[in-house]
Amino acid sequence: MPDQAPGSSHPERRLSTKEAAELLGVKPETVYAYVSRGQLGSRRVPGGRGSTFDAREVEALARRNRRESAGSPASGGELSVRTRITLIEKDQYYFRGVDAVELAARHSYEEIAEWLWTGRLNAGITFTAPDPSVEIARRAVSALPEHTDPTDRLRVAAVAAATADPLRFDLSEEAVLGAARTLIPTLVGALPPVLYAPKEDGPLAHRLWGRLTPREADEASLDVLDTALGLLVDHDLAASTLAVRVAASARAHAYAAVSAGLGVLEGPLHGAASGLAHRLIEQVLEQGDAGPVIAGELRAGRRIPGLGHRLYSGEDPRAHALFARLAELPHAGPALAAARDIVDTTARHTALHANVDLALAALTVSCGMPANAGETVFAVARTAGWIAHALEEYTERPLRMRPEGQYVGPRPPQPLPE
């Protein structure tokens, strides 16, 4: 007798795992990934090992997937991607429904990464990497020219780490999470130390510190760096994250998906923006006044880095939180004053608020880091978010990230060129 929905006189049609997978156009293991993420319900087969699924629920999910792959008409044809990771709303942002600023204030970067990946908070977790993986990545990075940018070093380290993982093509959630927990510390461990031997154990922020600045670490500064990492873990579909999802849609393994994100991150309008803001703060500190510095930028036709964000009408909440933490560091006072001067000077002419790039620049300047250190912090932090998005994308229909081109060239037939 067919299953009966509670309170209904109509029979409930149930599908096997194979039937649900065929209807959704995915692999059977992806069906269970939908279940683990709350997108599908399941019911165990009495006396058996398999599960069944409500046909109407599966059909509704298949329709949503088809609508998503075709783009949302309400958004003018732009690609719309359903995600359970980050929500940005009313000048705030949330990780899986939880205030991201509060998470970063109370939990470590690694704990926040686990929350993004699994929806569970694994208190006290730290990420470690096997020595062979780190050594391979270090050798690859050490072969690069001395002037190599940090993102290039990280990209080379990611490729090297991939070669040390023969299971990298296993895209199951368990395998990808295992790779993520070793890839992130491998990326950090592959970076050369600035002056002294950095820590090789403990929280990731402690290991990263000695690869960013020659200054000795104090607990308060390490906490601020950890907060910055936590604030930057994810930010919806930023350009680099979209690149990661495109790679994952083509079923590239996690290392390759992260490499795609790192490639986009180098743009001056994305991960490298904090370096421009760093130099701006240094100029203000040298001249003692933001007025002539801002005037020089505008005279040269350049936008003021570290100001404004298309997703926030007011101050970027990440900037607000990071400025507040920096205010607890006595040596951050001058950089914070310079950042405030930049915002106040620009506000006389245009209503632009500080974004996270300016706050990150205040951190790197006050801690004696080079201008490109913010790019390193951004890349390491965002790797966790990229992994979260890759995991989501692996559960979707393959190759759905394929927008249709609108050809605007000469209409055929055209004569052959001479």
Side-chain angles (χ1 to χ4, degrees):
M1 181 178 179
D3 290 329
Q4 199 83 3
S8 171
S9 59
H10 298 291
E12 178 187 13
R13 189 162 61 94
R14 308 290 299 180
L15 301 179
S16 68
T17 303
K18 181 181 178 182
E19 291 169 333
E22 289 175 351
L23 184 57
L24 291 165
V26 299
K27 295 183 292 186
E29 52 265 34
T30 303
V31 175
Y32 289 102
Y34 282 131
V35 173
S36 68
R37 287 171 169 77
Q39 294 170 274
L40 273 182
S42 67
R43 185 183 302 168
R44 300 289 292 179
V45 176
R49 297 178 59 189
S51 298
T52 63
F53 307 86
D54 185 335
R56 290 169 298 183
E57 190 177 351
V58 175
E59 289 164 357
L61 178 58
R63 286 195 297 272
R64 288 199 301 270
N65 288 350
R66 287 194 295 270
R67 283 198 302 269
E68 177 187 310
S69 64
S72 170
S75 64
E78 296 177 1
L79 183 65
S80 176
V81 178
R82 288 181 299 110
T83 177
R84 299 169 65 87
I85 299 171
T86 299
L87 169 67
I88 300 175
E89 187 177 67
K90 298 178 181 176
D91 280 359
Q92 291 180 282
Y93 74 121
Y94 307 85
F95 293 154
R96 292 186 177 271
V98 177
D99 189 300
V101 170
E102 289 190 19
L103 271 176
R106 300 184 184 185
H107 296 282
S108 72
Y109 165 72
E110 291 96 317
E111 290 170 344
I112 296 170
E114 286 286 331
W115 172 252
L116 275 191
W117 297 339
T118 68
R120 297 184 296 274
L121 199 64
N122 192 345
I125 187 172
T126 58
F127 298 154
T128 58
D131 291 340
S133 176
V134 177
E135 186 55 36
I136 287 173
R138 279 179 181 164
R139 286 204 304 268
V141 169
S142 66
L144 297 171
E146 189 175 342
H147 63 268
T148 302
D149 288 334
T151 306
D152 285 329
R153 295 181 191 275
L154 293 171
R155 191 160 54 238
V156 168
V159 173
T163 65
D165 184 1
L167 302 180
R168 62 188 179 276
F169 295 104
D170 182 350
L171 303 185
S172 66
E173 182 174 355
E174 183 180 3
V176 173
L177 286 176
R181 294 181 184 117
T182 60
L183 172 59
I184 294 174
T186 296
L187 295 179
V188 172
L191 295 172
V194 175
L195 184 62
Y196 58 91
K199 292 176 67 70
E200 300 295 354
D201 56 9
L204 198 83
H206 295 207
R207 286 173 270 167
L208 182 59
W209 178 272
R211 293 172 165 92
L212 297 175
T213 176
R215 292 187 185 177
E216 288 284 349
D218 60 83
E219 202 61 37
S221 297
L222 289 171
D223 285 346
V224 174
L225 177 58
D226 188 57
T227 298
L229 290 168
L231 290 168
L232 292 166
V233 163
D234 189 58
H235 205 237
D236 195 34
L237 286 181
S240 57
T241 304
L242 182 59
V244 168
R245 293 198 75 129
V246 170
S249 177
R251 297 305 182 255
H253 55 69
Y255 301 89
V258 167
S259 295
L262 288 168
V264 176
L265 195 69
E266 280 195 291
L269 301 182
H270 196 14
S274 66
L276 302 176
H278 177 110
R279 296 183 182 93
L280 193 70
I281 289 178
E282 286 186 325
Q283 291 175 29
V284 173
L285 289 173
E286 289 170 5
Q287 298 200 27
D289 184 3
V293 177
I294 298 300
E297 292 293 305
L298 296 176
R299 186 179 299 117
R302 292 189 290 264
R303 63 186 295 272
I304 309 303
L307 299 179
H309 197 291
R310 63 190 296 265
L311 298 181
Y312 300 114
S313 58
E315 187 176 53
D316 184 334
R318 300 168 298 174
H320 183 80
L322 194 50
F323 281 142
R325 292 304 307 273
L326 283 168
E328 300 171 7
L329 304 181
H331 57 269
L336 283 174
R340 282 194 296 270
D341 196 6
I342 290 169
V343 174
D344 292 344
T345 300
T346 309
R348 299 172 195 166
H349 307 286
T350 180
L352 290 177
H353 301 272
N355 63 36
V356 75
D357 297 314
L358 189 64
L360 192 54
L363 167 65
T364 55
V365 170
S366 62
C367 292
M369 299 176 184
N372 59 16
E375 187 177 343
T376 305
V377 174
F378 196 107
V380 170
R382 192 55 59 87
T383 300
W386 293 336
I387 293 293
H389 282 274
L391 280 166
E392 269 198 341
E393 195 58 41
Y394 289 146
T395 68
E396 301 288 356
R397 181 174 56 81
L399 294 175
R400 72 195 183 105
M401 297 287 186
R402 177 63 169 85
E404 181 180 346
Q406 296 185 357
Y407 179 73
V408 294
R411 296 299 305 171
Q414 295 288 323
L416 288 172
E418 296 182 2

